[in-house]
Amino acid sequence: MNDAAPAPTPAPAPRKRARVRAPELIGKGGWLNTGGKELTLADLRGKCVVVDFWTFCCINCLHILDELRELEEKHRDTLVIVGVHSPKFVHEAEHQAVVDAVERYEVHHPVLDDPELATWKQYAVRAWPTLVVIDPEGYIVAQHAGEGHANALRALVEELETEHEAKGTLRRGDGPYVPPEPVATDLRFPGKALALPSGNLLVSDTTRHQLVELAPDGETVVRRVGDGEFREPQGLALLPDGRVVVADTVHHALRTFDPVTGVIERVAGTGAQWWQGSPTSGPALEVALSSPWDVAWWQGKVWIAMAGVHQLWTYDPATGTVEVAAGTTNEGLVDGPAAEAWFAQPSGLAAAGDRLWIADSETSAVRWIDTEGAVHTAVGTGLFDFGHRDGEAGQALLQHPLGVTALPDGSVAVADTYNHALRRFDPASGEVTTLATDLREPSDAVLVGDDIVVVESARHRLTRLRLPEEAVTVESVAHRTRREATAVAPGRLRVDVVFQAPAGQKLDERYGPSTRLLVSSTPPELLLDGEGTGTDLFREVELNPEFTEGVLHVSAMAASCDDDPANEYPACHVHQQDWGVPLKVTEGGAVRLPLILAGMDAQA
């Protein structure tokens, strides 16, 4: 036995990490949430900074906003989160649209409006969302793409705090966030609407986290529903028993509301977000969901537009079960059997006899599924083409539609959200027309007699229109996504997904490979070799010399667990991201395509 005091354990030396000077943050749209002050990196010196490259159409970006809230609050005196809004769609480059989105999604940190992607290019970002960590001395120390990095960020911020406190380079105190003045309106960014049997209208008041029942005039508030039960609710559907099922989007759940008794009950989802490897069927309250955005009663079940994982699910109230109905979780536009179809953030549903109409927002498409489970596309071509063009459906264009409404004549009205328009697709003629313009981010519509009531989300109101007998004439416009194509050489191309497990973690290989890589392309003929799924985070692909451009789709997942031999049940974390990389094949282009999932590219 030794009674001598043990020698103090030396503090672990800081990990050596790459240090790259962070480029300045610049954007033509200027700064939001700073009280009018223009920020520079020099203003942030002494703070840990997380730069969040996001765009408000992107469900994964919205997930990141929620992931960051706890970190932001816990380290408010040492950490500054800066959003850099980097638009995909033309509408997202409008400054007022960014102002609206910052309020809509309750972003409580400074946001730089970068409509020309200037800072995106300076930081060589390739995907939404991407997070870049800058240390208190102004150096980039880590980069993460996709979701699931909250724990890694927490550990890194705590490490940076300790390191820079010891060096005297950490500055504590309030950050630069200045909240905007609140605005009083009855609705705030309403999402979806439903006509109740009483004749009243029920609206999901998304930013206020409530449902609002309105009188038939669409303006008089009858009652507000929910006090803490909902978080950014969206879709509403009437069940045969008179209850309303609600897509409780940020809570990743379905709830029912009984208009007679006022009772609210969770009927599906655990409250946690679904991740790759989680169950895809089973008892509804034991299976996780992911950002359910809309719901519809069809074929004896509740169909769910599961925006967070690019799928359709169903909930069966009779058996209390949920299951995947269509989609693979891969993001894109692929028709065919339900189990093989690809969606991209389905956000609107409408039942119409033998069809379930779908607003597939990220592909700017209207699609439908039949009673045999086959998925079809009526309007839309893919992730990168959008605009406002009427005419024959094969060449017509939409821009990020969020809602669909079945009309009595068999056609479907489309809330063409980013075009601020109500459109119509007629299956009988195969034509797309415009019913109304000068709306503001319409997100849904509901039939009331001979009228159609449109949810004007960004005007915070319902707007009643008479269904027109003649279409509105609009000037055609076509767009492609604002991202520049990556120049690659013809022939062989090495795709490297960079992943470094966070400090104190290691890849979880107890039950087999802990990484997954899926590679495909649009058009499919772009790849002669290298398509498919594997467990390595790199892939040699061969490009078809007959194509000079296309899109490479890469989906990566890595699972890491706490590296503690004494812990039999270590905490594990899933990191995942999908990239759609526009390519331009040209002599002298790159022969390697690095995609950072987490860490820094050693070959950069």
Side-chain angles (χ1 to χ4, degrees):
M1 182 174 178
N2 185 347
D3 292 330
T9 303
R15 284 190 303 153
K16 290 201 171 186
R17 56 174 82 87
R19 283 163 60 87
V20 178
R21 178 65 73 179
E24 191 55 80
L25 304 174
I26 53 174
K28 272 196 171 181
W31 288 89
L32 306 175
N33 284 353
T34 62
K37 178 179 172 60
E38 297 287 315
L39 290 184
T40 66
L41 284 178
D43 298 323
L44 303 176
R45 197 63 50 82
K47 299 282 191 180
C48 304
V49 178
V50 174
V51 182
D52 175 16
F53 290 89
W54 69 298
T55 188
F56 63 78
C57 72
C58 162
I59 191 66
N60 311 92
C61 298
L62 304 185
H63 289 167
I64 289 294
L65 289 175
D66 291 319
E67 280 188 20
L68 292 176
R69 293 189 202 281
E70 183 178 348
L71 180 72
E72 188 171 29
E73 185 58 39
K74 184 178 180 181
H75 298 273
R76 188 163 291 280
D77 68 331
T78 60
L79 170 69
V80 176
I81 294 174
V82 173
V84 175
H85 189 267
S86 312
K88 171 185 175 181
F89 290 98
V90 168
H91 169 59
E92 293 176 305
E94 296 177 17
H95 182 69
Q96 185 57 48
V98 181
V99 172
D100 289 343
V102 167
E103 180 190 350
R104 180 194 297 263
Y105 297 115
E106 298 180 300
V107 180
H108 294 163
H109 51 249
V111 173
L112 175 64
D113 180 11
D114 183 17
E116 297 180 348
L117 303 181
T119 297
W120 166 288
K121 294 170 187 173
Q122 285 291 309
Y123 280 75
V125 175
R126 294 186 183 276
W128 297 278
T130 290
L131 301 168
V132 177
V133 182
I134 302 173
D135 73 12
E137 294 179 290
Y139 291 90
I140 296 173
V141 293
Q143 182 171 324
H144 304 269
E147 301 180 50
H149 303 293
N151 188 68
L153 289 171
R154 176 193 56 77
L156 179 54
V157 167
E158 290 174 356
E159 186 180 318
L160 290 172
E161 285 176 343
T162 300
E163 177 183 338
H164 288 273
E165 188 96 79
K167 290 175 66 175
T169 49
L170 185 71
R171 176 167 56 89
R172 294 184 179 272
D174 291 338
Y177 170 65
V178 178
E181 290 294 323
V183 181
T185 53
D186 287 333
L187 300 174
R188 206 71 194 158
F189 298 104
K192 305 287 185 180
L194 175 69
L196 295 172
S198 66
N200 288 348
L201 293 163
L202 191 66
V203 183
S204 53
D205 196 18
T206 303
T207 300
R208 298 247 174 84
H209 314 299
Q210 292 181 319
L211 309 182
V212 177
E213 186 174 347
L214 301 174
D217 62 10
E219 296 179 3
T220 305
V221 175
V222 175
R223 61 174 162 171
R224 293 187 172 274
V225 177
D227 184 13
E229 288 92 347
F230 301 113
R231 184 77 183 170
E232 294 183 22
Q234 286 284 348
L236 308 166
L238 193 65
L239 298 178
D241 63 8
R243 292 179 300 160
V244 175
V245 64
V246 183
D248 191 3
T249 304
V250 173
H251 279 153
H252 309 294
L254 299 187
R255 298 184 193 274
T256 55
F257 161 61
D258 189 330
V260 176
T261 65
V263 171
I264 298 170
E265 180 184 7
R266 178 170 59 91
V267 294
T270 64
Q273 183 182 341
W274 187 95
W275 291 98
Q276 290 287 353
S278 301
T280 55
S281 64
L285 292 171
E286 299 174 15
V287 177
L289 308 180
S290 182
S291 295
W293 206 274
D294 202 6
V295 283
W297 180 256
W298 187 60
Q299 300 289 307
K301 295 180 180 179
V302 175
W303 285 69
I304 310 165
M306 201 74 78
V309 287
H310 317 299
Q311 291 180 313
L312 303 182
W313 287 43
T314 58
Y315 161 61
D316 187 344
T319 61
T321 57
V322 293
E323 64 180 349
V324 172
T328 64
T329 76
N330 296 322
E331 185 179 13
L333 193 154
V334 176
D335 289 338
E340 300 171 13
W342 291 23
F343 296 94
Q345 218 168 294
S347 302
L349 299 174
D354 60 358
R355 294 186 181 192
L356 180 70
W357 292 104
I358 305 153
D360 202 31
S361 62
E362 281 293 285
T363 53
S364 297
V366 172
R367 307 175 72 184
W368 54 281
I369 186 168
D370 62 31
T371 55
E372 301 300 316
V375 176
H376 312 262
T377 296
V379 185
T381 59
L383 286 165
F384 300 103
D385 295 293
F386 54 91
H388 191 153
R389 186 162 63 200
D390 287 332
E392 192 273 322
Q395 56 83 52
L397 293 172
L398 310 168
Q399 186 178 181
H400 198 79
L402 290 178
V404 280
T405 306
L407 300 179
D409 64 358
S411 65
V412 58
V414 183
D416 192 6
T417 309
Y418 288 2
N419 280 328
H420 311 300
L422 189 67
R423 311 283 293 284
R424 175 177 177 262
F425 168 66
D426 183 358
S429 66
E431 294 284 313
V432 174
T433 55
T434 297
L435 297 176
T437 58
D438 299 321
L439 302 168
R440 185 68 186 172
E441 290 192 18
S443 53
D444 196 21
V446 58
L447 283 174
V448 179
D450 293 330
D451 296 340
I452 189 164
V453 176
V454 180
V455 180
E456 275 199 274
S457 188
R459 283 200 180 112
H460 320 293
R461 71 186 189 189
L462 303 187
T463 298
R464 185 182 294 263
L465 305 172
R466 179 57 55 96
L467 273 173
E469 295 182 3
E470 294 185 5
V472 177
T473 302
V474 295
E475 184 178 350
S476 294
V477 60
H479 301 288
R480 296 213 83 201
T481 185
R482 302 173 70 84
R483 293 169 57 193
E484 290 184 0
T486 298
V488 297
R492 305 295 291 184
L493 175 69
R494 181 182 172 98
V495 179
D496 275 328
V497 173
V498 177
F499 178 77
Q500 295 157 5
Q505 295 182 33
K506 65 178 181 179
L507 287 174
D508 177 22
E509 297 179 335
R510 293 170 296 166
Y511 309 109
S514 61
T515 56
R516 187 191 75 157
L517 184 65
L518 172 67
V519 177
S520 62
S521 66
T522 301
E525 297 80 10
L526 176 66
L527 289 183
L528 294 177
D529 187 36
E531 182 182 6
T533 303
T535 56
D536 292 321
L537 290 181
F538 65 88
R539 183 77 55 84
E540 291 277 351
V541 303
E542 184 173 356
L543 303 174
N544 189 333
E546 295 182 8
F547 291 84
T548 58
E549 62 179 25
V551 179
L552 192 66
H553 303 282
V554 180
S555 177
M557 185 273 291
S560 61
C561 291
D562 293 345
D563 189 7
D564 182 359
N567 187 351
E568 187 178 356
Y569 302 104
C572 296
H573 311 275
V574 177
H575 317 262
Q576 62 184 43
Q577 171 64 4
D578 297 330
W579 291 267
V581 184
L583 299 182
K584 180 168 64 175
V585 182
T586 179
E587 294 293 339
V591 296
R592 175 178 177 264
L593 178 64
L595 301 171
I596 296 178
L597 180 59
M600 301 285 282
D601 182 14
Q603 298 185 44

